[in-house]
Amino acid sequence: RLRAGQTMLLVAALFEPLRLALAPLVGDEVGGVGGWGGLTNMGDPARCSIGRGPFCFRPSVLAGLSPFGLAFVLAWMLPPLVSAAASAAGFAAQPREDAVPEGCDRTASRDVLSEAREQPSTAGQRPPADALSRLLRVWSLLSWLWFLLPLACFIADPFYRVSAGKMVLGLALAASYPLSWHLALVAVPVSDLVAPRLSLSDPTVKSFHKAVGWRTAGWAAVHGFGELFYLCSIGLLEHLNVVKNPDNLMYVLGVVSLVLFAAHALLALARKQVWLRAHFRAIHRLLA
Protein backbone atom coordinates (compact mmCIF):
# COMPACT_ATOMS: atom_id res chain seq x y z
CA ARG A 1 0.00 0.00 0.00
CA LEU A 2 2.89 2.32 0.76
CA ARG A 3 4.40 1.39 -2.58
CA ALA A 4 1.19 2.57 -4.25
CA GLY A 5 1.49 5.89 -2.45
CA GLN A 6 5.14 6.18 -3.44
CA THR A 7 4.25 5.49 -7.08
CA MET A 8 1.60 8.22 -6.98
CA LEU A 9 4.19 10.65 -5.61
CA LEU A 10 6.60 9.68 -8.40
CA VAL A 11 3.93 10.24 -11.08
CA ALA A 12 3.10 13.64 -9.62
CA ALA A 13 6.78 14.62 -9.42
CA LEU A 14 7.45 13.60 -13.04
CA PHE A 15 4.45 15.38 -14.55
CA GLU A 16 5.84 18.90 -15.00
CA PRO A 17 9.47 17.98 -15.89
CA LEU A 18 8.24 15.48 -18.49
CA ARG A 19 5.75 17.98 -19.91
CA LEU A 20 8.44 20.64 -20.27
CA ALA A 21 10.84 18.13 -21.85
CA LEU A 22 8.26 17.03 -24.44
CA ALA A 23 6.90 20.51 -25.22
CA PRO A 24 9.64 21.44 -27.75
CA LEU A 25 9.05 18.13 -29.57
CA VAL A 26 5.25 17.92 -29.75
CA GLY A 27 4.11 21.48 -28.98
CA ASP A 28 0.62 22.16 -27.68
CA GLU A 29 -0.22 18.47 -27.20
CA VAL A 30 1.49 18.76 -23.83
CA GLY A 31 1.27 22.53 -23.56
CA GLY A 32 -1.92 23.84 -22.06
CA VAL A 33 -2.18 27.18 -20.30
CA GLY A 34 -1.85 28.33 -16.70
CA GLY A 35 -2.39 25.71 -14.03
CA TRP A 36 -3.85 23.20 -16.48
CA GLY A 37 -0.36 22.42 -17.79
CA GLY A 38 -1.12 19.99 -20.60
CA LEU A 39 -3.99 18.13 -18.95
CA THR A 40 -6.69 19.70 -21.08
CA ASN A 41 -7.28 20.58 -24.72
CA MET A 42 -6.59 24.32 -24.27
CA GLY A 43 -3.65 25.43 -26.38
CA ASP A 44 -1.62 28.61 -26.80
CA PRO A 45 -4.01 31.51 -27.62
CA ALA A 46 -1.27 33.22 -29.64
CA ARG A 47 -1.27 30.34 -32.14
CA CYS A 48 -5.01 29.78 -32.25
CA SER A 49 -6.59 29.26 -35.67
CA ILE A 50 -10.20 29.86 -34.51
CA GLY A 51 -9.82 33.44 -33.25
CA ARG A 52 -8.00 35.31 -30.51
CA GLY A 53 -9.02 35.05 -26.88
CA PRO A 54 -7.82 33.84 -23.47
CA PHE A 55 -8.30 30.20 -24.51
CA CYS A 56 -7.92 28.08 -27.63
CA PHE A 57 -9.97 24.90 -27.48
CA ARG A 58 -9.01 21.95 -29.66
CA PRO A 59 -10.50 18.45 -30.11
CA SER A 60 -9.75 16.28 -27.08
CA VAL A 61 -9.31 12.55 -26.57
CA LEU A 62 -11.79 12.15 -23.70
CA ALA A 63 -13.75 14.64 -21.58
CA GLY A 64 -11.51 17.53 -22.56
CA LEU A 65 -8.28 15.70 -21.75
CA SER A 66 -5.27 15.86 -24.05
CA PRO A 67 -3.48 12.55 -24.88
CA PHE A 68 -0.73 13.49 -22.43
CA GLY A 69 -3.28 14.43 -19.77
CA LEU A 70 -5.24 11.20 -20.19
CA ALA A 71 -2.09 9.08 -19.89
CA PHE A 72 -1.07 10.83 -16.67
CA VAL A 73 -4.55 10.64 -15.13
CA LEU A 74 -4.55 6.87 -15.76
CA ALA A 75 -1.02 6.56 -14.35
CA TRP A 76 -2.14 8.53 -11.27
CA MET A 77 -5.23 6.36 -10.69
CA LEU A 78 -3.74 2.92 -11.30
CA PRO A 79 -1.49 2.45 -8.20
CA PRO A 80 -4.26 2.70 -5.55
CA LEU A 81 -6.69 0.71 -7.73
CA VAL A 82 -4.16 -2.09 -8.31
CA SER A 83 -3.30 -2.13 -4.61
CA ALA A 84 -6.98 -2.29 -3.67
CA ALA A 85 -7.60 -5.10 -6.17
CA ALA A 86 -4.62 -7.08 -4.88
CA SER A 87 -5.83 -6.67 -1.30
CA ALA A 88 -9.35 -7.76 -2.28
CA ALA A 89 -7.94 -10.86 -3.98
CA GLY A 90 -5.87 -11.65 -0.89
CA PHE A 91 -8.88 -11.31 1.41
CA ALA A 92 -10.97 -13.50 -0.88
CA ALA A 93 -8.30 -16.22 -0.78
CA GLN A 94 -8.28 -16.39 3.01
CA PRO A 95 -9.96 -19.50 4.46
CA ARG A 96 -13.48 -19.08 5.82
CA GLU A 97 -14.29 -20.08 9.37
CA ASP A 98 -16.49 -22.96 8.26
CA ALA A 99 -14.08 -24.19 5.56
CA VAL A 100 -12.95 -27.37 7.33
CA PRO A 101 -11.23 -30.08 5.25
CA GLU A 102 -13.25 -33.25 4.79
CA GLY A 103 -12.42 -35.97 7.29
CA CYS A 104 -11.19 -33.55 9.98
CA ASP A 105 -12.78 -32.97 13.32
CA ARG A 106 -14.78 -29.73 12.92
CA THR A 107 -14.46 -28.63 16.55
CA ALA A 108 -10.68 -29.10 16.61
CA SER A 109 -10.28 -27.44 13.21
CA ARG A 110 -12.26 -24.40 14.30
CA ASP A 111 -10.02 -24.11 17.37
CA VAL A 112 -6.91 -24.17 15.15
CA LEU A 113 -8.36 -21.53 12.80
CA SER A 114 -9.34 -19.35 15.74
CA GLU A 115 -5.82 -19.50 17.19
CA ALA A 116 -4.34 -18.67 13.75
CA ARG A 117 -6.50 -15.58 13.47
CA GLU A 118 -5.35 -14.39 16.88
CA GLN A 119 -1.67 -14.59 15.85
CA PRO A 120 -0.12 -11.44 14.29
CA SER A 121 -0.16 -11.70 10.51
CA THR A 122 2.82 -10.40 8.55
CA ALA A 123 0.77 -10.25 5.35
CA GLY A 124 -1.78 -7.87 6.82
CA GLN A 125 0.52 -5.71 8.89
CA ARG A 126 -0.39 -2.05 8.81
CA PRO A 127 2.29 0.32 7.55
CA PRO A 128 3.88 2.24 10.43
CA ALA A 129 2.67 5.77 11.04
CA ASP A 130 6.14 7.21 10.44
CA ALA A 131 6.10 5.82 6.87
CA LEU A 132 2.88 7.69 6.16
CA SER A 133 4.40 10.78 7.75
CA ARG A 134 7.35 10.50 5.37
CA LEU A 135 4.96 10.32 2.42
CA LEU A 136 3.24 13.45 3.68
CA ARG A 137 6.57 15.27 4.10
CA VAL A 138 7.60 14.39 0.53
CA TRP A 139 4.19 15.54 -0.68
CA SER A 140 4.64 18.86 1.11
CA LEU A 141 8.09 19.31 -0.46
CA LEU A 142 6.64 18.64 -3.93
CA SER A 143 3.84 21.11 -3.22
CA TRP A 144 6.27 23.90 -2.48
CA LEU A 145 8.24 23.09 -5.63
CA TRP A 146 5.01 23.18 -7.68
CA PHE A 147 4.31 26.58 -6.13
CA LEU A 148 7.73 28.26 -6.06
CA LEU A 149 8.97 27.33 -9.55
CA PRO A 150 6.03 28.87 -11.47
CA LEU A 151 5.98 31.77 -9.00
CA ALA A 152 9.61 32.53 -9.91
CA CYS A 153 8.64 32.51 -13.60
CA PHE A 154 5.72 34.85 -12.96
CA ILE A 155 7.83 37.23 -10.89
CA ALA A 156 10.39 37.41 -13.70
CA ASP A 157 7.69 38.35 -16.23
CA PRO A 158 7.19 42.15 -16.51
CA PHE A 159 3.41 41.63 -16.93
CA TYR A 160 3.07 40.57 -13.28
CA ARG A 161 5.08 43.51 -11.93
CA VAL A 162 3.10 46.48 -13.24
CA SER A 163 0.54 46.59 -10.42
CA ALA A 164 -0.35 45.07 -7.05
CA GLY A 165 -3.33 43.30 -8.62
CA LYS A 166 -1.14 41.52 -11.16
CA MET A 167 1.45 40.62 -8.55
CA VAL A 168 -1.27 38.95 -6.50
CA LEU A 169 -2.53 37.27 -9.71
CA GLY A 170 0.90 35.70 -10.21
CA LEU A 171 0.79 34.38 -6.65
CA ALA A 172 -2.72 33.00 -7.20
CA LEU A 173 -1.84 31.30 -10.49
CA ALA A 174 1.24 29.69 -8.96
CA ALA A 175 -0.94 28.27 -6.16
CA SER A 176 -3.18 26.57 -8.74
CA TYR A 177 -0.47 23.95 -9.43
CA PRO A 178 -0.28 22.46 -5.90
CA LEU A 179 -4.03 22.99 -5.50
CA SER A 180 -4.73 20.81 -8.55
CA TRP A 181 -2.58 17.96 -7.20
CA HIS A 182 -4.12 18.22 -3.74
CA LEU A 183 -7.62 17.99 -5.22
CA ALA A 184 -6.48 14.87 -7.09
CA LEU A 185 -5.20 13.21 -3.90
CA VAL A 186 -7.44 14.29 -1.04
CA ALA A 187 -10.39 11.96 -1.72
CA VAL A 188 -8.46 8.87 -2.85
CA PRO A 189 -7.62 7.30 0.56
CA VAL A 190 -11.19 7.68 1.90
CA SER A 191 -13.07 6.57 -1.21
CA ASP A 192 -15.40 3.58 -0.81
CA LEU A 193 -13.44 1.67 -3.46
CA VAL A 194 -9.97 2.12 -1.94
CA ALA A 195 -10.27 2.74 1.82
CA PRO A 196 -11.61 -0.68 2.95
CA ARG A 197 -8.74 -2.49 1.18
CA LEU A 198 -5.75 -0.39 2.24
CA SER A 199 -5.10 -2.46 5.39
CA LEU A 200 -4.85 0.82 7.29
CA SER A 201 -6.67 1.58 10.49
CA ASP A 202 -9.61 3.94 10.19
CA PRO A 203 -7.96 6.62 12.39
CA THR A 204 -4.82 6.49 10.19
CA VAL A 205 -6.81 6.97 6.98
CA LYS A 206 -8.81 9.82 8.52
CA SER A 207 -5.66 11.47 9.86
CA PHE A 208 -4.02 11.39 6.43
CA HIS A 209 -7.22 12.71 4.81
CA LYS A 210 -7.43 15.58 7.29
CA ALA A 211 -3.77 16.52 6.80
CA VAL A 212 -4.11 16.64 3.01
CA GLY A 213 -7.55 18.27 3.32
CA TRP A 214 -6.31 21.24 5.34
CA ARG A 215 -3.40 21.70 2.96
CA THR A 216 -5.90 21.67 0.08
CA ALA A 217 -7.97 24.34 1.82
CA GLY A 218 -4.83 26.46 2.31
CA TRP A 219 -3.85 26.35 -1.37
CA ALA A 220 -7.47 26.99 -2.35
CA ALA A 221 -7.52 30.10 -0.16
CA VAL A 222 -4.32 31.46 -1.74
CA HIS A 223 -5.57 30.75 -5.27
CA GLY A 224 -9.22 31.77 -4.78
CA PHE A 225 -8.78 34.94 -2.77
CA GLY A 226 -5.84 35.96 -4.94
CA GLU A 227 -7.94 35.64 -8.09
CA LEU A 228 -10.79 37.49 -6.35
CA PHE A 229 -8.45 40.34 -5.38
CA TYR A 230 -7.26 40.63 -8.99
CA LEU A 231 -10.83 40.63 -10.36
CA CYS A 232 -11.79 43.35 -7.89
CA SER A 233 -8.84 45.45 -9.07
CA ILE A 234 -9.99 45.28 -12.71
CA GLY A 235 -13.77 45.29 -12.19
CA LEU A 236 -15.37 42.27 -10.53
CA LEU A 237 -18.94 42.68 -11.77
CA GLU A 238 -17.86 43.12 -15.37
CA HIS A 239 -15.92 39.85 -15.27
CA LEU A 240 -18.85 37.96 -13.74
CA ASN A 241 -21.13 38.96 -16.63
CA VAL A 242 -21.58 35.73 -18.59
CA VAL A 243 -24.04 37.33 -21.05
CA LYS A 244 -21.45 39.86 -22.18
CA ASN A 245 -18.66 37.28 -22.48
CA PRO A 246 -19.26 33.51 -22.08
CA ASP A 247 -15.61 33.05 -21.06
CA ASN A 248 -16.53 34.77 -17.79
CA LEU A 249 -18.30 31.56 -16.75
CA MET A 250 -14.88 30.38 -15.56
CA TYR A 251 -14.73 33.24 -13.05
CA VAL A 252 -18.32 32.65 -11.92
CA LEU A 253 -17.60 28.97 -11.26
CA GLY A 254 -14.37 29.97 -9.52
CA VAL A 255 -16.29 32.16 -7.08
CA VAL A 256 -18.80 29.33 -6.50
CA SER A 257 -15.93 26.91 -5.82
CA LEU A 258 -14.36 29.35 -3.37
CA VAL A 259 -17.66 29.63 -1.48
CA LEU A 260 -17.94 25.82 -1.35
CA PHE A 261 -14.37 25.53 -0.06
CA ALA A 262 -15.08 28.10 2.66
CA ALA A 263 -18.25 26.26 3.68
CA HIS A 264 -16.33 22.97 3.72
CA ALA A 265 -13.61 24.43 5.96
CA LEU A 266 -16.15 25.92 8.38
CA LEU A 267 -17.95 22.56 8.49
CA ALA A 268 -14.71 20.76 9.34
CA LEU A 269 -13.97 23.26 12.12
CA ALA A 270 -17.42 22.73 13.62
CA ARG A 271 -17.48 18.93 13.20
CA LYS A 272 -17.31 18.24 16.97
CA GLN A 273 -20.37 20.33 17.77
CA VAL A 274 -23.16 18.17 19.23
CA TRP A 275 -25.80 19.50 16.82
CA LEU A 276 -23.62 18.63 13.79
CA ARG A 277 -21.99 15.37 14.82
CA ALA A 278 -24.77 13.08 13.61
CA HIS A 279 -24.98 14.71 10.17
CA PHE A 280 -21.35 15.70 9.60
CA ARG A 281 -20.37 12.82 7.29
CA ALA A 282 -23.40 13.23 5.00
CA ILE A 283 -22.92 17.01 4.65
CA HIS A 284 -19.16 16.57 4.26
CA ARG A 285 -19.66 14.16 1.36
CA LEU A 286 -22.25 16.40 -0.27
CA LEU A 287 -19.98 19.46 -0.21
CA ALA A 288 -16.99 17.40 -1.39
Side-chain angles (χ1 to χ4, degrees), residues 3-33:
R3 192 171 296 136
Q6 292 164 352
T7 305
M8 293 176 75
L9 288 180
L10 179 63
V11 170
L14 287 176
F15 177 84
E16 193 66 11
L18 186 58
R19 183 183 76 83
L20 293 174
L22 291 176
L25 302 176
V26 298
D28 283 352
E29 291 303 316
V30 295
V33 292

Short mmCIF file of all heavy atoms in Angstrom, two decimals, residues 3-33:
data_model
loop_
_atom_site.label_atom_id
_atom_site.label_comp_id
_atom_site.label_asym_id
_atom_site.label_seq_id
_atom_site.Cartn_x
_atom_site.Cartn_y
_atom_site.Cartn_z
N ARG A 3 3.80 1.32 -1.26
CA ARG A 3 4.40 1.39 -2.58
C ARG A 3 3.46 2.08 -3.57
O ARG A 3 3.90 2.82 -4.45
CB ARG A 3 4.74 -0.02 -3.08
CG ARG A 3 5.63 -0.03 -4.32
CD ARG A 3 6.11 -1.43 -4.63
NE ARG A 3 6.96 -1.93 -3.57
CZ ARG A 3 6.88 -3.15 -3.06
NH1 ARG A 3 5.97 -3.99 -3.49
NH2 ARG A 3 7.70 -3.53 -2.10
N ALA A 4 2.16 1.87 -3.40
CA ALA A 4 1.19 2.57 -4.25
C ALA A 4 1.26 4.07 -4.03
O ALA A 4 1.25 4.86 -4.98
CB ALA A 4 -0.23 2.06 -3.97
N GLY A 5 1.36 4.48 -2.76
CA GLY A 5 1.49 5.89 -2.45
C GLY A 5 2.78 6.48 -3.00
O GLY A 5 2.80 7.60 -3.52
N GLN A 6 3.87 5.71 -2.91
CA GLN A 6 5.14 6.18 -3.44
C GLN A 6 5.09 6.33 -4.95
O GLN A 6 5.66 7.28 -5.52
CB GLN A 6 6.25 5.22 -3.03
CG GLN A 6 6.55 5.23 -1.53
CD GLN A 6 7.36 4.02 -1.09
OE1 GLN A 6 7.58 3.09 -1.86
NE2 GLN A 6 7.78 4.02 0.17
N THR A 7 4.40 5.40 -5.63
CA THR A 7 4.25 5.49 -7.08
C THR A 7 3.45 6.72 -7.48
O THR A 7 3.77 7.40 -8.45
CB THR A 7 3.56 4.22 -7.62
OG1 THR A 7 4.29 3.06 -7.21
CG2 THR A 7 3.50 4.24 -9.15
N MET A 8 2.40 7.02 -6.70
CA MET A 8 1.60 8.22 -6.98
C MET A 8 2.45 9.48 -6.82
O MET A 8 2.36 10.42 -7.63
CB MET A 8 0.40 8.27 -6.06
CG MET A 8 -0.62 7.17 -6.31
SD MET A 8 -1.98 7.18 -5.12
CE MET A 8 -2.92 8.59 -5.72
N LEU A 9 3.30 9.52 -5.80
CA LEU A 9 4.19 10.65 -5.61
C LEU A 9 5.16 10.79 -6.79
O LEU A 9 5.43 11.90 -7.25
CB LEU A 9 4.98 10.51 -4.32
CG LEU A 9 4.22 10.70 -3.00
CD1 LEU A 9 5.16 10.51 -1.82
CD2 LEU A 9 3.59 12.07 -2.93
N LEU A 10 5.67 9.66 -7.27
CA LEU A 10 6.60 9.68 -8.40
C LEU A 10 5.92 10.22 -9.66
O LEU A 10 6.50 11.04 -10.39
CB LEU A 10 7.15 8.27 -8.65
CG LEU A 10 8.13 8.12 -9.82
CD1 LEU A 10 9.38 8.96 -9.56
CD2 LEU A 10 8.50 6.65 -10.03
N VAL A 11 4.68 9.75 -9.91
CA VAL A 11 3.93 10.24 -11.08
C VAL A 11 3.73 11.75 -10.98
O VAL A 11 3.92 12.49 -11.96
CB VAL A 11 2.58 9.51 -11.20
CG1 VAL A 11 1.69 10.17 -12.26
CG2 VAL A 11 2.80 8.04 -11.55
N ALA A 12 3.33 12.21 -9.80
CA ALA A 12 3.10 13.64 -9.62
C ALA A 12 4.38 14.44 -9.81
O ALA A 12 4.38 15.52 -10.40
CB ALA A 12 2.52 13.89 -8.22
N ALA A 13 5.51 13.91 -9.31
CA ALA A 13 6.78 14.62 -9.42
C ALA A 13 7.27 14.68 -10.86
O ALA A 13 7.90 15.66 -11.28
CB ALA A 13 7.83 13.94 -8.55
N LEU A 14 6.97 13.65 -11.66
CA LEU A 14 7.45 13.60 -13.04
C LEU A 14 6.60 14.41 -14.01
O LEU A 14 7.06 14.72 -15.12
CB LEU A 14 7.48 12.14 -13.53
CG LEU A 14 8.57 11.25 -12.95
CD1 LEU A 14 8.41 9.82 -13.45
CD2 LEU A 14 9.95 11.79 -13.32
N PHE A 15 5.39 14.76 -13.61
CA PHE A 15 4.45 15.38 -14.55
C PHE A 15 5.02 16.63 -15.22
O PHE A 15 5.13 16.72 -16.44
CB PHE A 15 3.14 15.72 -13.84
CG PHE A 15 2.14 16.43 -14.72
CD1 PHE A 15 1.31 15.71 -15.55
CD2 PHE A 15 2.05 17.82 -14.74
CE1 PHE A 15 0.39 16.34 -16.37
CE2 PHE A 15 1.14 18.47 -15.54
CZ PHE A 15 0.30 17.72 -16.37
N GLU A 16 5.41 17.62 -14.42
CA GLU A 16 5.84 18.90 -15.00
C GLU A 16 7.19 18.80 -15.71
O GLU A 16 7.32 19.32 -16.83
CB GLU A 16 5.88 19.97 -13.89
CG GLU A 16 6.01 21.38 -14.42
CD GLU A 16 4.78 21.85 -15.20
OE1 GLU A 16 3.75 21.16 -15.18
OE2 GLU A 16 4.86 22.90 -15.85
N PRO A 17 8.21 18.12 -15.14
CA PRO A 17 9.47 17.98 -15.89
C PRO A 17 9.29 17.26 -17.23
O PRO A 17 9.87 17.66 -18.24
CB PRO A 17 10.36 17.16 -14.95
CG PRO A 17 9.83 17.44 -13.59
CD PRO A 17 8.34 17.59 -13.77
N LEU A 18 8.46 16.21 -17.24
CA LEU A 18 8.24 15.48 -18.49
C LEU A 18 7.48 16.33 -19.49
O LEU A 18 7.77 16.32 -20.69
CB LEU A 18 7.47 14.18 -18.19
CG LEU A 18 7.28 13.23 -19.38
CD1 LEU A 18 8.63 12.82 -19.96
CD2 LEU A 18 6.50 11.99 -18.94
N ARG A 19 6.51 17.09 -19.01
CA ARG A 19 5.75 17.98 -19.91
C ARG A 19 6.66 19.01 -20.55
O ARG A 19 6.60 19.26 -21.76
CB ARG A 19 4.62 18.67 -19.14
CG ARG A 19 3.73 19.54 -19.99
CD ARG A 19 2.70 20.26 -19.14
NE ARG A 19 3.27 21.38 -18.42
CZ ARG A 19 3.45 22.60 -18.95
NH1 ARG A 19 3.10 22.84 -20.20
NH2 ARG A 19 3.96 23.56 -18.24
N LEU A 20 7.53 19.62 -19.74
CA LEU A 20 8.44 20.64 -20.27
C LEU A 20 9.45 20.03 -21.24
O LEU A 20 9.85 20.67 -22.22
CB LEU A 20 9.16 21.33 -19.11
CG LEU A 20 8.28 22.18 -18.20
CD1 LEU A 20 9.07 22.71 -17.02
CD2 LEU A 20 7.64 23.33 -18.97
N ALA A 21 9.89 18.79 -20.96
CA ALA A 21 10.84 18.13 -21.85
C ALA A 21 10.22 17.79 -23.20
O ALA A 21 10.88 17.85 -24.25
CB ALA A 21 11.39 16.86 -21.18
N LEU A 22 8.93 17.42 -23.20
CA LEU A 22 8.26 17.03 -24.44
C LEU A 22 7.72 18.22 -25.23
O LEU A 22 7.49 18.10 -26.43
CB LEU A 22 7.09 16.08 -24.11
CG LEU A 22 7.47 14.69 -23.61
CD1 LEU A 22 6.22 13.91 -23.24
CD2 LEU A 22 8.26 13.93 -24.68
N ALA A 23 7.52 19.35 -24.56
CA ALA A 23 6.90 20.51 -25.22
C ALA A 23 7.62 20.94 -26.49
O ALA A 23 6.97 21.20 -27.52
CB ALA A 23 6.78 21.67 -24.23
N PRO A 24 8.97 21.03 -26.51
CA PRO A 24 9.64 21.44 -27.75
C PRO A 24 9.45 20.44 -28.89
O PRO A 24 9.56 20.80 -30.07
CB PRO A 24 11.12 21.53 -27.35
CG PRO A 24 11.12 21.68 -25.87
CD PRO A 24 9.93 20.89 -25.41
N LEU A 25 9.17 19.17 -28.55
CA LEU A 25 9.05 18.13 -29.57
C LEU A 25 7.65 18.02 -30.14
O LEU A 25 7.48 17.84 -31.35
CB LEU A 25 9.46 16.77 -28.98
CG LEU A 25 10.88 16.68 -28.41
CD1 LEU A 25 11.10 15.32 -27.77
CD2 LEU A 25 11.91 16.92 -29.52
N VAL A 26 6.63 18.14 -29.29
CA VAL A 26 5.25 17.92 -29.75
C VAL A 26 4.36 19.14 -29.60
O VAL A 26 3.19 19.11 -29.99
CB VAL A 26 4.62 16.72 -29.00
CG1 VAL A 26 5.38 15.45 -29.29
CG2 VAL A 26 4.60 16.98 -27.49
N GLY A 27 4.87 20.23 -29.03
CA GLY A 27 4.11 21.48 -28.98
C GLY A 27 2.93 21.44 -28.05
O GLY A 27 3.01 20.94 -26.92
N ASP A 28 1.79 21.95 -28.52
CA ASP A 28 0.62 22.16 -27.68
C ASP A 28 -0.01 20.88 -27.14
O ASP A 28 -0.84 20.92 -26.24
CB ASP A 28 -0.46 22.93 -28.45
CG ASP A 28 -0.12 24.42 -28.52
OD1 ASP A 28 0.83 24.82 -27.85
OD2 ASP A 28 -0.81 25.15 -29.25
N GLU A 29 0.36 19.72 -27.69
CA GLU A 29 -0.22 18.47 -27.20
C GLU A 29 0.11 18.24 -25.73
O GLU A 29 -0.59 17.51 -25.05
CB GLU A 29 0.28 17.28 -28.05
CG GLU A 29 -0.25 17.28 -29.47
CD GLU A 29 -1.77 17.29 -29.52
OE1 GLU A 29 -2.41 16.54 -28.76
OE2 GLU A 29 -2.33 18.04 -30.35
N VAL A 30 1.18 18.82 -25.26
CA VAL A 30 1.49 18.76 -23.83
C VAL A 30 1.61 20.16 -23.25
O VAL A 30 2.16 20.35 -22.18
CB VAL A 30 2.80 17.97 -23.55
CG1 VAL A 30 2.65 16.53 -23.93
CG2 VAL A 30 3.97 18.61 -24.27
N GLY A 31 1.09 21.15 -23.96
CA GLY A 31 1.27 22.53 -23.56
C GLY A 31 0.27 22.98 -22.53
O GLY A 31 0.54 22.98 -21.34
N GLY A 32 -0.92 23.32 -22.98
CA GLY A 32 -1.92 23.84 -22.06
C GLY A 32 -1.59 25.26 -21.64
O GLY A 32 -0.60 25.85 -22.08
N VAL A 33 -2.41 25.83 -20.80
CA VAL A 33 -2.18 27.18 -20.30
C VAL A 33 -2.36 27.21 -18.79
O VAL A 33 -3.12 26.43 -18.24
CB VAL A 33 -3.16 28.19 -20.96
CG1 VAL A 33 -2.86 28.36 -22.42
CG2 VAL A 33 -4.60 27.75 -20.77
#
